[in-house]
Amino acid sequence: MASEFKKKMFWRAVVAEFLAMSLFIFISIGSALGFNFPVSSNETSTKTQDNVKVSLAFGLSIATMAQSVGHISGAHLNPAVTLGLLLSCQISILKAIMYIVAQCLGAVVATAILSGVTSSLPNNLLGLNSLSSGINAGQGLGIEIIATFQLVLCVLATTDRRRNDVSGSAPLAIGLSVALGHLLAIDYTGCGINPARSFGSALIANNFENHWIFWVGPIIGGASAALIYDFILAPRSSDLTDRMKVWTSGQVEEYDLEGDDMNSRVEMKPK
């Protein structure tokens, strides 16, 4: 871990996660708050939020940031995605921790700036995730698990280096997956699927009611997607020693598919 900590590329990746997360949060949550303008006589207009607009803003901003910094950090921009890639043995434990810290810090900074920009809005909760009327904690947790599951599964599948059948843009595919999650979950939980994004709003708005749902749900969803993809859908035959090497040293591993039949074993081989 110490050797990875000293590398310039390691810190460039961490900074990239912070910067991209800040831009992502400012753009996406800013689009969600924008329906309240213009403000007249200290009262908002009676417009209703356009869920399609907000979903596309979240999805397109993720796709844009992934295209911008994906070659530097992998553009996780989500602790649930980072956890999924950690369990999939694609990053080290140290990098995962630093990424999550950078993501949370980026979300807090962006939300704080957005708070200043939208200070004239009354009752401004800055995109705070909360359970809708009639939705209990268990139901909200289920929505968050499923929405995050499909996102992390999409990330793992579209970035799988063993595949040669992926055409088009991987960042766009992931962005559309984010938009899909929002189209599902906005009306139920406000759509968290990203603990750092939820944390930024909760901290600046100083409201942590049911906040645990927006950490536990995405963590379960992301971890489940990684385990199901790696051990059931597209299994890799790697022993604990190989995995420990990645988790501790950060060594990048390459997965190769040996054989042409569907029952071929997948071997994890160091570059």
Side-chain angles (χ1 to χ4, degrees):
M1 287 189 180
S3 61
E4 187 181 28
F5 196 77
K6 297 177 182 178
K7 294 179 180 178
K8 290 182 180 179
M9 282 305 299
F10 174 87
W11 291 107
R12 287 173 184 164
V14 173
V15 171
E17 283 291 304
F18 168 78
L19 179 61
M21 189 70 179
S22 299
L23 290 172
F24 160 61
I25 293 298
F26 188 88
I27 293 169
S28 55
I29 295 183
S31 72
L33 298 178
F35 82 97
N36 283 319
F37 284 98
V39 177
S40 177
S41 301
N42 294 323
E43 293 185 1
T44 60
S45 63
T46 57
K47 295 179 181 178
T48 58
Q49 179 171 279
D50 185 343
N51 286 355
V52 175
K53 168 200 167 185
V54 175
S55 299
L56 287 176
F58 273 87
L60 292 176
S61 57
I62 280 288
T64 302
M65 292 301 104
Q67 191 69 50
S68 301
V69 303
H71 61 296
I72 300 172
S73 69
H76 297 188
L77 309 182
N78 186 335
V81 172
T82 299
L83 176 62
L85 293 176
L86 174 64
L87 294 177
S88 187
C89 273
Q90 298 188 41
I91 59 172
S92 68
I93 294 175
L94 175 62
K95 179 173 282 190
I97 293 173
M98 292 303 299
Y99 271 21
I100 292 173
V101 171
Q103 291 157 6
C104 290
L105 184 59
V108 170
V109 170
T111 308
I113 296 172
L114 195 58
S115 175
V117 172
T118 60
S119 59
S120 57
L121 281 176
N123 303 317
N124 184 7
L125 293 178
L126 298 167
L128 180 72
N129 291 123
S130 61
L131 300 178
S132 298
S133 177
I135 301 296
N136 62 38
Q139 293 167 333
L141 182 65
I143 289 290
E144 288 294 311
I145 290 173
I146 294 171
T148 309
F149 179 90
Q150 64 85 28
L151 168 60
V152 177
L153 185 65
C154 177
V155 171
L156 293 171
T158 55
T159 60
D160 192 338
R161 288 171 291 177
R162 297 170 297 169
R163 297 182 62 182
N164 54 18
D165 63 325
V166 179
S167 58
S169 169
L172 181 59
I174 295 169
L176 289 175
S177 180
V178 172
L180 180 63
H182 281 76
L183 288 171
L184 163 68
I186 282 180
D187 287 331
Y188 299 96
T189 64
C191 190
I193 72 173
N194 187 330
R197 167 260 188 273
S198 300
F199 176 72
S201 296
L203 182 65
I204 301 302
N206 193 28
N207 186 335
F208 289 90
E209 183 179 1
N210 293 318
H211 183 65
W212 64 272
I213 293 173
F214 304 103
W215 280 90
V216 175
I219 286 173
I220 294 176
S224 299
L227 295 176
I228 289 174
Y229 187 82
D230 268 14
F231 292 98
I232 299 177
L233 299 180
R236 298 179 170 103
S237 60
S238 55
D239 57 30
L240 183 59
T241 302
D242 293 326
R243 291 180 173 272
M244 288 299 295
K245 182 185 295 185
V246 179
W247 287 333
T248 57
S249 69
Q251 179 179 355
V252 176
E253 302 288 342
E254 186 172 45
Y255 299 92
D256 296 319
L257 184 62
E258 295 191 343
D260 297 325
D261 61 283
M262 292 298 292
N263 296 321
S264 298
R265 296 180 64 190
V266 176
E267 304 291 343
M268 183 167 68
K269 299 179 179 179
K271 286 185 175 179

